[in-house]
Amino acid sequence: MNKMSKKIKLTILGEEYQLPISALRLKKDSKWNEETYIHMSAKHTASIIKQYVKKNFPDIKVWSKSQTYSGGSSVDVSLSNSDGSEIEQNVYEMISEFGNQFKAGSFNGMEDIYEYNEGTKTTDNNTPLKYFPSYVFVKNAPQWGSVEYWLNEYNKWLENTGTKEYDVYDMNVQKAGGWLNYNKTYMTDKEFKKVEKEYNVGKFVNI
């Protein structure tokens, strides 16, 4: 682990990652007992998982976000191909397995308790990693509201338009004057501008 300007470098399973220098903490149990460790908050865990995906699967789109609430915290990771479609299952499982090692434990539904993992996880240089998020959720789908999400929705419509299942959807699209106008209702202004921009450069065809 090396300190950088406002950043630290750490190596986990042979891969190098970066976190804000604030992640490096000093724990004092007493005057004579001190321990340097890395605080793996939900925010820091989300960053590590995103860095892992970008390093190992640069063509995959990845979104990661964290939240903290009373009694715990969680990380949500979304993955897709550039057109918003699902990534290969084996790759999804690899990313999920990587992410799951950074959660504090798991919920035992039989006994209605949260069970914490045993043992200590460290960097390759044996610096302890502590205070992980309670949950890590990895989803094989683009993040809601992203251009990739709407591109995937558009492609699904193209594949199914004219079928019985899409009769009502097609009718509403026609009434609205096109797919983009119909779905504008479900987008924020910022999302709509992004999707409209991609439409103008030809990413969405024949909307």
Side-chain angles (χ1 to χ4, degrees), residues 16-93:
E16 187 178 277
Y17 303 94
Q18 293 186 18
L19 286 176
I21 198 168
S22 58
L24 191 62
R25 306 284 181 87
L26 180 66
K27 181 180 180 181
K28 293 186 177 182
D29 291 332
S30 68
K31 188 181 197 178
W32 301 276
N33 189 12
E34 297 181 345
E35 179 186 48
T36 299
Y37 69 95
I38 295 174
H39 190 275
M40 291 296 294
S41 64
K43 183 178 180 180
H44 295 155
T45 297
S47 175
I48 291 289
I49 298 173
K50 188 171 186 177
Q51 289 177 60
Y52 169 81
V53 175
K54 287 183 172 293
K55 282 174 177 287
N56 294 281
F57 310 101
D59 293 332
I60 290 177
K61 298 290 294 185
V62 56
W63 300 261
S64 63
K65 59 183 180 179
S66 62
Q67 58 177 329
T68 301
Y69 40 83
S70 177
S73 60
S74 63
V75 172
D76 290 277
V77 179
S78 299
L79 307 162
S80 81
N81 293 309
S82 59
D83 63 355
S85 61
E86 291 185 354
I87 65 173
E88 294 181 7
Q89 183 63 23
N90 65 318
V91 175
Y92 166 70
E93 290 173 359

Side-chain angles (χ1 to χ4, degrees), residues 8-21:
I8 56 169
K9 285 184 178 180
L10 57 150
T11 305
I12 302 173
L13 300 175
E15 293 276 358
E16 187 178 277
Y17 303 94
Q18 293 186 18
L19 286 176
I21 198 168

Side-chain angles (χ1 to χ4, degrees), residues 100-108 113-118 132-136:
N100 284 334
Q101 69 180 313
F102 296 110
K103 59 182 182 180
S106 58
F107 182 74
N108 183 336
I113 57 172
Y114 187 89
E115 298 178 333
Y116 288 90
N117 294 331
E118 296 181 0
F132 297 98
S134 307
Y135 301 98
V136 175

Side-chain angles (χ1 to χ4, degrees), residues 18 26 36 86 108 112 166-167 173-174 184 192 198:
Q18 293 186 18
L26 180 66
T36 299
E86 291 185 354
N108 183 336
D112 197 29
Y166 270 63
D167 277 350
V173 167
Q174 187 175 6
K184 181 179 181 180
F192 178 75
E198 296 300 326

